[in-house]
Amino acid sequence: MPQLEPWQWALGALCAFSVGLAKTGLPGLGILVVPMIVLTVGDARKAAAWLLPILCTADVFAVVYWRRHAAIGRLWSLAPWALAGMAGGAAALSLQERVLRPMVGAIVLIMLAAYLIRRRARNPAAIAPHPALYGIAAGFATTVANAAGPVMNLYLLSKRLPKEEFIATGAWFFFVINLTKIPIYAAHGLFSRQSLVFDLLMVPAVFAGALGGRRVVEHISPNMFEWLVVALTALSTWFLFR
C-alpha cells in the first residue's frame, strides 16, 4: 500500500476523476492532471508511470463508449511521426524533468499559435502544419510527461471534426499510444508495486469521471466545445512552465 498522506489520496482521486472526465467529455482538461499527479507522488519522473495505468483505464472506457464515432482514417498520417516522437521521448527520459517540461510547453504554445492563426486565415488549408509536426510533438510530449493532450487537441481541431468524432478519434489515438508506452516506462524501472496498487484503487474515480464526461459533452454546443478546448489548452500550458 502506498504511504501517502490523506491529502495526497484526495488529490490522486481528483486526478483520476479528471482523467475520466477528460477522456469522454472535456479533452483539454487532461493536461491539468500532469502537475496534480506530480504533487501526489512527489517525484516528477515517476509520476508519469503512476498516471499511465489510470490513463489506459480511461482510454478503454472512452474507446468503448465512442466506438461508433471514431474517424480512424485521420490518424494514419500521424502514426509514424508519433512513433518517431516517442523514440525521441524515450531517449530524453534520462534528462532532468525541469528541462523536459518547458520543452513540452514551448511545443504546445507553437501549436496553439499555429491553430489560432490558421483559424483566422482566409485560406486555412494553405497554412496547415504538416502532420509530421503534430505527430512528433505528440509522441515526444506523451512519452516524457503524458502531456500530448494539447498537441492532439489542436490537430483534431484543425480537422474540423464534430465534437463526437473529435473525442472518439482522440480516444483511439491515446489508447494505442499509451499501451505502447508501457514497455518504455518498464524499461526505465518507473513502475512499482506501490504505483500499481495506487492505480487499482483509483479505478472507481476514473469511471465516475468518465460517466460525468458523457453528460457534459451532450450539453455543449460545437462552438463552445472548440473554444473550451482552446482555453483549457492555453491554461494547461502555464502549468508546464511552472
Side-chain angles (χ1 to χ4, degrees):
M1 180 71 68
Q3 300 299 312
L4 301 176
E5 297 293 331
W7 69 267
Q8 290 174 299
W9 282 109
L11 188 58
L14 179 60
C15 288
F17 180 85
S18 299
V19 168
L21 188 63
K23 292 293 184 178
T24 59
L26 291 175
L29 187 65
I31 189 63
L32 300 179
V33 173
V34 174
M36 289 196 295
I37 196 67
V38 172
L39 291 174
T40 301
V41 177
D43 185 313
R45 192 164 178 268
K46 292 182 179 179
W50 283 57
L51 182 59
L52 183 58
I54 294 174
L55 294 172
C56 291
T57 302
D59 287 334
V60 171
F61 190 99
V63 165
V64 171
Y65 182 75
W66 294 108
R67 62 188 181 279
R68 297 180 181 178
H69 299 278
I72 302 298
R74 301 285 190 176
L75 299 177
W76 292 120
S77 61
L78 203 67
W81 302 109
L83 292 174
M86 290 180 69
L93 280 174
S94 58
L95 297 176
Q96 293 185 359
E97 189 267 348
R98 63 182 178 85
V99 176
L100 292 174
R101 199 169 292 278
M103 291 172 60
V104 175
I107 291 171
V108 175
L109 282 180
I110 292 171
M111 293 296 186
L112 182 59
Y115 172 76
L116 294 175
I117 292 171
R118 181 175 182 266
R119 198 180 189 285
R120 295 176 63 88
R122 293 184 178 180
N123 184 15
I127 57 173
H130 192 277
L133 185 59
Y134 286 108
I136 292 173
F140 181 85
T142 194
T143 304
V144 301
N146 286 318
V151 178
M152 193 61 190
N153 290 342
L154 294 175
Y155 173 75
L156 294 175
L157 282 177
S158 73
K159 298 301 181 182
R160 312 301 296 172
L161 299 177
K163 59 183 180 181
E164 293 83 4
E165 287 189 19
F166 181 108
I167 297 172
T169 306
W172 270 104
F173 175 82
F174 284 112
F175 176 66
V176 175
I177 290 296
N178 285 334
L179 289 179
T180 306
K181 284 155 53 179
I182 292 175
I184 296 175
Y185 286 5
H188 283 80
L190 297 178
F191 293 118
S192 66
R193 180 177 297 179
Q194 285 191 336
S195 72
L196 296 177
V197 170
F198 173 85
D199 294 326
L200 184 62
L201 294 174
M202 293 298 109
V203 169
V206 173
F207 279 98
L211 291 172
R214 289 168 50 187
R215 294 185 178 276
V216 169
V217 77
E218 292 172 357
H219 296 88
I220 297 180
S221 68
N223 188 61
M224 181 182 295
F225 178 83
E226 177 181 359
W227 286 110
L228 188 59
V229 170
V230 170
L232 287 172
T233 299
L235 176 63
S236 64
T237 305
W238 179 76
F239 285 98
L240 293 173
F241 286 101
R242 286 178 60 83

